[in-house]
């Protein structure tokens, strides 16, 4: 961190860093045109019920088909989009695209499945309720087939304001989830009042679940608290059967992660939704618990 701020201070004097600034400027103006040039795509990652093994939802994750760099992930451009305000048109595009995809799958005869969309803090503070209402009206379909994910840290920036917006969104019938839960220092008296349906246990607690007793304690506590508040809990980033066994043993309701599927494009997702055979997770992975 210290090294990078020193580098920033000397950026003026170092031609290769000026080159970097130029690259950044190019990247930013390309991002500015990404929506209009139809370069963004959504991939979808299934969410699996532990009890039934059914796919009970899919999360839409944005990617950018950059003309020179190829397909790049949100980790490379969401922060810049937030800084520049481009997250507003991008976020609106994502919402609309997710709803259109949902409708296309339904028209193709697939069983309806909720599609979750990530909202950034910046989007959440604009007139997000009006935007969502407009998109719901434009695209038809039941509002319950849209789930909105807000990170715990974004929701706690101004919890009173979040409460009011979440209430408006809930009144429209959309489902609400708190993303990256456990990393954002929740104000529990607000969490209790938020009209949310689901907590997403952050993947940082899932990663070392089988070897780090502290992570296991946190996972257990989050699951117990969620259930006490009558919320569903889904674990993010489940990659191994060992993690799954511990989550299952501790009563986690749903899972999402590479163990089941990576995020995949809409065509592959439609195939998965059509062909997936639901087997209770405990029966599909009859494994002894990790020590
Ligand atoms: P997130 O919402 O917490 O999404 C989960 C991230 O974990 C995704 O990364 C997903 O591909 C990845 N992941 C899923 N399963 C596994 C696993 O088993 N192991 C590991 N190591 N990773 C897994 P992705 O797609 O790169 O997205 C990163 C973040 O970018 C998302 O985190 C979300 O905060 C943000 N993001 C993605 N799409 C959008 C969007 O449309 N709008 C906004 N505002 N943010 C978005
Ligand atoms: Mg998410
Ligand atoms: Mg997350
Ligand atoms: Mg995340």
């Amino acid at each position: 961190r210290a090294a990078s701020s020193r580098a920033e201070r000397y950026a003026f004097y170092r031609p290769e860093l000026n080159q970097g600034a130029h690259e950044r400027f190019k990247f930013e103006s390309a991002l500015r045109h990404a929506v209009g040039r139809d370069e963004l795509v959504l991939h979808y990652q299934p969410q699996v019920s532990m009890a039934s093994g059914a796919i009970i939802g899919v999360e839409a994750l944005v990617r950018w088909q950059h003309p020179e760099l190829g397909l790049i992930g949100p980790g490379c451009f969401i922060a810049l989009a937030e800084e520049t305000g481009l997250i507003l048109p991008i976020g609106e595009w994502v919402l609309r695209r997710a709803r259109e995809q949902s409708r296309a799958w339904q028209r193709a005869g697939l069983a309806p499945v909720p599609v979750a969309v990530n909202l950034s803090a910046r989007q959440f503070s604009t007139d997000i309720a009006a935007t969502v209402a407009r998109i719901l009206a434009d695209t038809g379909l039941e509002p319950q087939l849209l789930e909105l994910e807000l990170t715990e840290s974004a929701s706690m920036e101004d919890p009173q304001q979040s409460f009011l917006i979440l209430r408006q969104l809930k009144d429209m019938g959309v489902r609400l989830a708190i993303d990256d839960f456990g990393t954002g220092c929740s104000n529990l008296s607000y969490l209790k009042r938020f009209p949310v349906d689901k907590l997403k246990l952050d993947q940082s607690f899932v990663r070392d679940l089988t070897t780090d007793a502290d992570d296991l304690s946190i996972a257990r506590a989050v699951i117990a608290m969620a259930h006490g508040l009558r919320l569903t809990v889904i674990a993010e980033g489940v990659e191994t059967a060992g993690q799954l066994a511990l989550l299952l043993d501790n009563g986690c309701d749903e899972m999402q992660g590479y163990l089941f599927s990576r995020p995949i494009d809409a065509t592959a997702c439609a195939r998965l939704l059509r062909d997936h055979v639901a087997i209770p997770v405990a029966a599909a992975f009859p494994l002894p618990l990790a020590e």
Side-chain angles (χ1 to χ4, degrees), residues 59 61 118 149 151 178-181 200-203 236-237 256:
E59 179 176 2
L61 294 156
N118 292 282
E149 295 189 3
T151 63
I178 303 288
D179 204 353
D180 300 349
F181 191 79
K200 301 194 74 177
L201 175 66
D202 189 67
Q203 54 189 60
E236 301 189 84
Q256 183 179 346

PDB file of all heavy atoms in Angstrom, residues 59 61 118 149 151 178-181 200-203 236-237 256, ligand 3:
ATOM      1  N   GLU A  59     -27.362 -16.604 -10.432  1.00  0.00           N
ATOM      2  CA  GLU A  59     -26.857 -15.236 -10.250  1.00  0.00           C
ATOM      3  C   GLU A  59     -26.262 -14.747 -11.560  1.00  0.00           C
ATOM      4  O   GLU A  59     -25.420 -15.423 -12.167  1.00  0.00           O
ATOM      5  CB  GLU A  59     -25.792 -15.176  -9.154  1.00  0.00           C
ATOM      6  CG  GLU A  59     -25.238 -13.754  -8.969  1.00  0.00           C
ATOM      7  CD  GLU A  59     -24.243 -13.608  -7.815  1.00  0.00           C
ATOM      8  OE1 GLU A  59     -23.926 -14.616  -7.161  1.00  0.00           O
ATOM      9  OE2 GLU A  59     -23.782 -12.464  -7.589  1.00  0.00           O
ATOM     10  N   LEU A  61     -23.804 -12.514 -13.581  1.00  0.00           N
ATOM     11  CA  LEU A  61     -22.502 -11.887 -13.328  1.00  0.00           C
ATOM     12  C   LEU A  61     -22.021 -11.272 -14.638  1.00  0.00           C
ATOM     13  O   LEU A  61     -21.929 -11.952 -15.659  1.00  0.00           O
ATOM     14  CB  LEU A  61     -21.521 -12.933 -12.796  1.00  0.00           C
ATOM     15  CG  LEU A  61     -21.907 -13.478 -11.399  1.00  0.00           C
ATOM     16  CD1 LEU A  61     -21.311 -14.850 -11.154  1.00  0.00           C
ATOM     17  CD2 LEU A  61     -21.489 -12.500 -10.295  1.00  0.00           C
ATOM     18  N   ASN A 118     -26.616  -8.195  -9.079  1.00  0.00           N
ATOM     19  CA  ASN A 118     -25.833  -7.438  -8.103  1.00  0.00           C
ATOM     20  C   ASN A 118     -26.055  -5.938  -8.278  1.00  0.00           C
ATOM     21  O   ASN A 118     -26.042  -5.430  -9.398  1.00  0.00           O
ATOM     22  CB  ASN A 118     -24.340  -7.732  -8.283  1.00  0.00           C
ATOM     23  CG  ASN A 118     -24.000  -9.155  -7.911  1.00  0.00           C
ATOM     24  OD1 ASN A 118     -23.900  -9.500  -6.736  1.00  0.00           O
ATOM     25  ND2 ASN A 118     -23.845 -10.007  -8.923  1.00  0.00           N
ATOM     26  N   GLU A 149     -29.176  -8.289  -5.148  1.00  0.00           N
ATOM     27  CA  GLU A 149     -28.127  -8.509  -4.157  1.00  0.00           C
ATOM     28  C   GLU A 149     -27.443  -7.184  -3.855  1.00  0.00           C
ATOM     29  O   GLU A 149     -26.953  -6.508  -4.755  1.00  0.00           O
ATOM     30  CB  GLU A 149     -27.065  -9.483  -4.683  1.00  0.00           C
ATOM     31  CG  GLU A 149     -27.583 -10.872  -4.927  1.00  0.00           C
ATOM     32  CD  GLU A 149     -26.460 -11.860  -5.234  1.00  0.00           C
ATOM     33  OE1 GLU A 149     -25.263 -11.489  -5.199  1.00  0.00           O
ATOM     34  OE2 GLU A 149     -26.798 -13.027  -5.519  1.00  0.00           O
ATOM     35  N   THR A 151     -24.432  -5.645  -1.249  1.00  0.00           N
ATOM     36  CA  THR A 151     -23.424  -6.133  -0.304  1.00  0.00           C
ATOM     37  C   THR A 151     -23.729  -5.613   1.098  1.00  0.00           C
ATOM     38  O   THR A 151     -24.347  -4.557   1.273  1.00  0.00           O
ATOM     39  CB  THR A 151     -21.987  -5.719  -0.680  1.00  0.00           C
ATOM     40  OG1 THR A 151     -21.893  -4.302  -0.628  1.00  0.00           O
ATOM     41  CG2 THR A 151     -21.598  -6.218  -2.061  1.00  0.00           C
ATOM     42  N   ILE A 178     -28.574 -10.139   0.970  1.00  0.00           N
ATOM     43  CA  ILE A 178     -27.387  -9.399   1.404  1.00  0.00           C
ATOM     44  C   ILE A 178     -26.161 -10.218   1.000  1.00  0.00           C
ATOM     45  O   ILE A 178     -25.993 -11.359   1.438  1.00  0.00           O
ATOM     46  CB  ILE A 178     -27.394  -9.153   2.933  1.00  0.00           C
ATOM     47  CG1 ILE A 178     -28.653  -8.395   3.375  1.00  0.00           C
ATOM     48  CG2 ILE A 178     -26.124  -8.409   3.350  1.00  0.00           C
ATOM     49  CD1 ILE A 178     -28.704  -6.936   2.977  1.00  0.00           C
ATOM     50  N   ASP A 179     -25.339  -9.619   0.133  1.00  0.00           N
ATOM     51  CA  ASP A 179     -24.175 -10.285  -0.456  1.00  0.00           C
ATOM     52  C   ASP A 179     -22.951 -10.118   0.445  1.00  0.00           C
ATOM     53  O   ASP A 179     -22.886  -9.172   1.235  1.00  0.00           O
ATOM     54  CB  ASP A 179     -23.890  -9.644  -1.824  1.00  0.00           C
ATOM     55  CG  ASP A 179     -23.133 -10.564  -2.779  1.00  0.00           C
ATOM     56  OD1 ASP A 179     -22.704 -11.650  -2.369  1.00  0.00           O
ATOM     57  OD2 ASP A 179     -22.977 -10.159  -3.951  1.00  0.00           O
ATOM     58  N   ASP A 180     -21.990 -11.012   0.291  1.00  0.00           N
ATOM     59  CA  ASP A 180     -20.702 -10.936   0.995  1.00  0.00           C
ATOM     60  C   ASP A 180     -20.911 -10.787   2.504  1.00  0.00           C
ATOM     61  O   ASP A 180     -20.200 -10.039   3.179  1.00  0.00           O
ATOM     62  CB  ASP A 180     -19.857  -9.752   0.476  1.00  0.00           C
ATOM     63  CG  ASP A 180     -19.560  -9.862  -1.015  1.00  0.00           C
ATOM     64  OD1 ASP A 180     -19.819 -10.927  -1.594  1.00  0.00           O
ATOM     65  OD2 ASP A 180     -19.070  -8.881  -1.599  1.00  0.00           O
ATOM     66  N   PHE A 181     -21.888 -11.508   3.031  1.00  0.00           N
ATOM     67  CA  PHE A 181     -22.237 -11.328   4.433  1.00  0.00           C
ATOM     68  C   PHE A 181     -21.114 -11.826   5.344  1.00  0.00           C
ATOM     69  O   PHE A 181     -20.546 -12.887   5.126  1.00  0.00           O
ATOM     70  CB  PHE A 181     -23.550 -12.027   4.800  1.00  0.00           C
ATOM     71  CG  PHE A 181     -24.025 -11.613   6.156  1.00  0.00           C
ATOM     72  CD1 PHE A 181     -24.681 -10.403   6.327  1.00  0.00           C
ATOM     73  CD2 PHE A 181     -23.753 -12.389   7.276  1.00  0.00           C
ATOM     74  CE1 PHE A 181     -25.070  -9.972   7.590  1.00  0.00           C
ATOM     75  CE2 PHE A 181     -24.139 -11.967   8.538  1.00  0.00           C
ATOM     76  CZ  PHE A 181     -24.803 -10.760   8.695  1.00  0.00           C
ATOM     77  N   LYS A 200     -26.023 -14.130   2.054  1.00  0.00           N
ATOM     78  CA  LYS A 200     -25.020 -14.882   1.301  1.00  0.00           C
ATOM     79  C   LYS A 200     -23.723 -14.877   2.105  1.00  0.00           C
ATOM     80  O   LYS A 200     -23.062 -13.834   2.218  1.00  0.00           O
ATOM     81  CB  LYS A 200     -24.801 -14.243  -0.081  1.00  0.00           C
ATOM     82  CG  LYS A 200     -26.087 -14.183  -0.910  1.00  0.00           C
ATOM     83  CD  LYS A 200     -25.799 -13.878  -2.375  1.00  0.00           C
ATOM     84  CE  LYS A 200     -25.216 -15.082  -3.088  1.00  0.00           C
ATOM     85  NZ  LYS A 200     -24.985 -14.818  -4.529  1.00  0.00           N
ATOM     86  N   LEU A 201     -23.388 -16.022   2.674  1.00  0.00           N
ATOM     87  CA  LEU A 201     -22.167 -16.155   3.478  1.00  0.00           C
ATOM     88  C   LEU A 201     -20.971 -15.940   2.562  1.00  0.00           C
ATOM     89  O   LEU A 201     -20.797 -16.646   1.566  1.00  0.00           O
ATOM     90  CB  LEU A 201     -22.120 -17.548   4.106  1.00  0.00           C
ATOM     91  CG  LEU A 201     -20.853 -17.902   4.894  1.00  0.00           C
ATOM     92  CD1 LEU A 201     -20.714 -17.055   6.148  1.00  0.00           C
ATOM     93  CD2 LEU A 201     -20.838 -19.389   5.253  1.00  0.00           C
ATOM     94  N   ASP A 202     -20.144 -14.955   2.889  1.00  0.00           N
ATOM     95  CA  ASP A 202     -19.048 -14.591   1.997  1.00  0.00           C
ATOM     96  C   ASP A 202     -18.078 -15.751   1.787  1.00  0.00           C
ATOM     97  O   ASP A 202     -17.791 -16.528   2.698  1.00  0.00           O
ATOM     98  CB  ASP A 202     -18.288 -13.388   2.552  1.00  0.00           C
ATOM     99  CG  ASP A 202     -17.291 -12.858   1.530  1.00  0.00           C
ATOM    100  OD1 ASP A 202     -17.748 -12.344   0.496  1.00  0.00           O
ATOM    101  OD2 ASP A 202     -16.073 -13.000   1.747  1.00  0.00           O
ATOM    102  N   GLN A 203     -17.550 -15.799   0.569  1.00  0.00           N
ATOM    103  CA  GLN A 203     -16.670 -16.920   0.221  1.00  0.00           C
ATOM    104  C   GLN A 203     -15.369 -16.930   1.017  1.00  0.00           C
ATOM    105  O   GLN A 203     -14.739 -17.974   1.120  1.00  0.00           O
ATOM    106  CB  GLN A 203     -16.419 -16.976  -1.284  1.00  0.00           C
ATOM    107  CG  GLN A 203     -15.903 -15.719  -1.909  1.00  0.00           C
ATOM    108  CD  GLN A 203     -15.905 -15.832  -3.448  1.00  0.00           C
ATOM    109  OE1 GLN A 203     -16.935 -16.029  -4.083  1.00  0.00           O
ATOM    110  NE2 GLN A 203     -14.743 -15.728  -4.039  1.00  0.00           N
ATOM    111  N   GLU A 236     -21.355 -18.968  -0.536  1.00  0.00           N
ATOM    112  CA  GLU A 236     -20.726 -18.625  -1.811  1.00  0.00           C
ATOM    113  C   GLU A 236     -19.370 -19.302  -1.920  1.00  0.00           C
ATOM    114  O   GLU A 236     -18.695 -19.507  -0.909  1.00  0.00           O
ATOM    115  CB  GLU A 236     -20.436 -17.122  -1.879  1.00  0.00           C
ATOM    116  CG  GLU A 236     -21.612 -16.211  -1.735  1.00  0.00           C
ATOM    117  CD  GLU A 236     -21.185 -14.769  -2.042  1.00  0.00           C
ATOM    118  OE1 GLU A 236     -21.170 -14.430  -3.229  1.00  0.00           O
ATOM    119  OE2 GLU A 236     -20.859 -14.021  -1.107  1.00  0.00           O
ATOM    120  N   GLY A 237     -18.962 -19.619  -3.122  1.00  0.00           N
ATOM    121  CA  GLY A 237     -17.595 -20.084  -3.343  1.00  0.00           C
ATOM    122  C   GLY A 237     -17.332 -21.499  -2.858  1.00  0.00           C
ATOM    123  O   GLY A 237     -16.218 -21.811  -2.432  1.00  0.00           O
ATOM    124  N   GLN A 256     -23.561 -22.210  -3.713  1.00  0.00           N
ATOM    125  CA  GLN A 256     -23.197 -21.691  -5.032  1.00  0.00           C
ATOM    126  C   GLN A 256     -21.684 -21.803  -5.104  1.00  0.00           C
ATOM    127  O   GLN A 256     -20.986 -21.437  -4.157  1.00  0.00           O
ATOM    128  CB  GLN A 256     -23.653 -20.229  -5.078  1.00  0.00           C
ATOM    129  CG  GLN A 256     -23.441 -19.533  -6.388  1.00  0.00           C
ATOM    130  CD  GLN A 256     -23.933 -18.081  -6.361  1.00  0.00           C
ATOM    131  OE1 GLN A 256     -24.667 -17.657  -5.461  1.00  0.00           O
ATOM    132  NE2 GLN A 256     -23.502 -17.311  -7.337  1.00  0.00           N
TER     133      GLN A 256
HETATM  134 MG1  LIG B   3     -20.550 -12.376  -2.807  1.00  0.00          MG
END
